Amino acid sequence: MAKKKSKSFLKKVLIALLAVVIVGGGFAGYKAYTVIYQPNVTLTGAQSDYIYIPTGSTFEDVSRLLYEKGYIVNRNSFEWLADYKKYKDSVKPGKYKIIAGMNNNELINMLRSGKQEPVKLVFNNIRTKEQFAGKISKLIEADSLSIIKSLNDKETAKKYGFTQDNFIAMFIPDTYEIFWNTSAEKFLEKMAKEYKNFWTADRKAKAEKAGLKPVEISIIASIVQEETNKTDEMSTIAGVYINRIHKGMLLQADPTVKFAIGDFTIKRILNKHLQYDSPYNTYKYAGIPPGPICIPSSKTIDKVLDYEKHKYIYFCAKEDFSGYHNFAITAAEHSRNAKRYQNELNKRKIK
């Protein structure tokens, strides 16, 4: 009888132990499930956002970034799984899109894979290298200092087939896709490829027919773009400058004087401005300036390539301030046009 009771007790103990194991296992399984699959990304008032992981970041940097910005609810679970999945040893820089409700597994897999979101690189209405470097540095990881240093480096310019002065002509305004963690060097490589793609055989043939190199076309386009915002007049103005170049005349382009002085607010070019000594002052120095006075759009470059064939060698702004110009073949005709415009400037007290 005692033996039967002993067996019964042992059976109960084994069942109890099995129950504990099952419950414990179930709890551990549930715990593991919550760590891996329970939503752990929260975004206040948004469905998605972007995080930027700088080059050289450690896992501790990433964890701190996510937690301090309030993107992850449970930091410990994130760090435990990251360690388990060996993300700590494979942090990749870049711009990453995180979505509200992501779990640790989804977040870590994305970060570990390096599957980042491309940046839309857009630039236009740029006049100087400094302005350009500042604009680009806001879109990619490279800072403005590293970009301007590259743009001003003679050897770097030479590497891509340019001079220090005309290097800025390599950048054609458009919308490009690029990764955020792009260095200044990689950015230049990307733009060099885009420049090569832009200058097709057809465009090169048009430049050659005009007796000009592609970079010279870009420089003329920069002047045309600063002269007018009237697209339907650009080819006519380009024709004037190309006529002057072919005749060996001074370009006498007012925008080059403003660029030389570095003051784009000048409303009226006076004799004192024309005396400013600079290779960009086309009233003093013959030929095409050493470099662009702005980054011209692809549309303006094409307008110069398709310049209007005419006999005009003069033009000045119309006195009605419409933004259009009066064109002339002779100096006498141009003098009359210029006089009407100057009288209107005086009438409006524009100095």
Side-chain angles (χ1 to χ4, degrees):
M1 189 74 175
K3 195 172 183 180
K4 278 187 175 183
K5 286 184 178 181
S6 176
K7 285 183 178 180
S8 177
F9 175 75
L10 182 60
K11 187 177 180 181
K12 289 178 180 179
V13 170
L14 289 174
I15 291 172
L17 287 174
L18 182 60
V20 169
V21 169
I22 291 172
V23 171
F27 177 76
Y30 174 75
K31 187 70 175 175
Y33 177 86
T34 57
V35 167
I36 299 172
Y37 299 112
Q38 182 171 297
N40 197 35
V41 171
T42 179
L43 301 174
T44 305
Q47 284 300 310
S48 63
D49 203 351
Y50 297 96
I51 60 168
Y52 297 83
I53 301 177
T55 298
S57 293
T58 64
F59 172 73
E60 287 69 25
D61 295 327
V62 176
S63 179
R64 183 171 56 253
L65 173 67
L66 288 166
Y67 191 71
E68 289 180 353
K69 286 186 173 292
Y71 290 145
I72 53 175
V73 179
N74 190 314
R75 185 175 183 176
N76 289 335
S77 67
F78 169 77
E79 292 183 346
W80 180 88
L81 189 61
D83 184 53
Y84 179 78
K85 294 176 76 73
K86 302 189 185 312
Y87 170 58
K88 291 186 175 184
D89 303 321
S90 57
V91 172
K92 295 178 175 66
K95 173 188 176 183
Y96 295 91
K97 183 178 182 179
I98 58 174
I99 300 171
M102 289 178 87
N103 57 49
N104 286 329
N105 196 53
E106 292 169 327
L107 178 59
I108 293 167
N109 283 348
M110 178 186 67
L111 297 175
R112 189 177 62 173
S113 71
K115 189 179 179 181
Q116 57 174 302
E117 293 287 312
V119 172
K120 294 289 185 183
L121 189 68
V122 183
F123 57 89
N124 47 50
N125 300 320
I126 304 291
R127 284 193 173 113
T128 65
K129 290 180 181 178
E130 291 74 19
Q131 187 182 8
F132 181 59
K135 172 73 173 178
I136 298 303
S137 67
K138 292 178 181 177
L139 301 172
I140 62 175
E141 186 179 16
D143 60 27
S144 59
L145 185 61
S146 65
I147 296 172
I148 196 68
K149 185 178 178 181
S150 296
L151 293 177
N152 286 328
D153 186 71
K154 291 181 181 179
E155 292 304 313
T156 301
K158 185 178 179 181
K159 171 184 172 183
Y160 291 106
F162 295 88
T163 66
Q164 184 180 4
D165 289 315
N166 65 30
F167 195 12
I168 200 74
M170 188 177 80
F171 306 93
I172 309 292
D174 205 337
T175 300
Y176 303 101
E177 281 198 349
I178 195 169
F179 288 128
W180 173 78
N181 59 311
T182 298
S183 64
E185 182 182 359
K186 292 296 182 183
F187 170 65
L188 294 183
E189 289 177 6
K190 164 75 173 176
M191 291 297 100
K193 289 178 182 178
E194 297 295 345
Y195 179 81
K196 186 177 180 180
N197 292 336
F198 175 80
W199 280 100
T200 59
D202 181 55
R203 285 190 171 106
K204 286 180 180 178
K206 287 180 179 179
E208 187 176 359
K209 190 174 181 180
L212 298 165
K213 299 175 183 177
V215 71
E216 293 175 323
I217 291 290
S218 292
I219 294 172
I220 295 171
S222 74
I223 299 173
V224 171
Q225 186 158 298
E226 288 291 292
E227 284 281 13
T228 184
N229 59 6
K230 304 296 183 183
T231 306
D232 57 342
E233 200 180 55
M234 286 181 172
S235 292
T236 310
I237 292 176
V240 172
Y241 286 131
I242 290 175
N243 285 346
R244 282 180 163 262
I245 290 168
H246 289 165
K247 289 177 180 292
M249 298 174 65
L250 291 168
L251 290 186
Q252 295 184 323
D254 288 0
T256 65
V257 179
K258 294 180 183 180
F259 180 85
I261 297 171
D263 185 355
F264 302 102
T265 65
I266 297 173
K267 294 181 179 180
R268 187 171 185 176
I269 299 296
L270 304 174
N271 188 59
K272 65 178 181 179
H273 299 133
L274 301 182
Q275 304 311 309
Y276 190 84
D277 190 24
S278 166
Y280 285 91
N281 184 347
T282 55
Y283 279 85
K284 288 181 70 73
Y285 293 92
I288 299 171
I293 61 171
C294 72
I295 299 181
S297 69
S298 58
K299 182 190 296 183
T300 307
I301 293 173
D302 282 334
K303 287 291 184 180
V304 175
L305 288 171
D306 295 322
Y307 70 95
E308 187 179 321
K309 279 74 172 177
H310 53 57
K311 294 183 180 181
Y312 298 133
I313 54 174
Y314 302 99
F315 72 95
C316 73
K318 281 190 172 183
E319 64 277 8
D320 62 1
F321 283 74
S322 62
Y324 283 97
H325 296 78
N326 286 315
F327 296 86
I329 297 175
T330 66
E333 185 183 2
H334 173 64
S335 181
R336 290 192 293 272
N337 291 337
K339 187 66 176 176
R340 290 199 302 274
Y341 179 65
Q342 289 163 4
N343 287 340
E344 192 60 31
L345 285 174
N346 293 333
K347 183 178 178 182
R348 300 188 186 205
K349 298 180 180 181
I350 296 175
K351 298 180 180 181

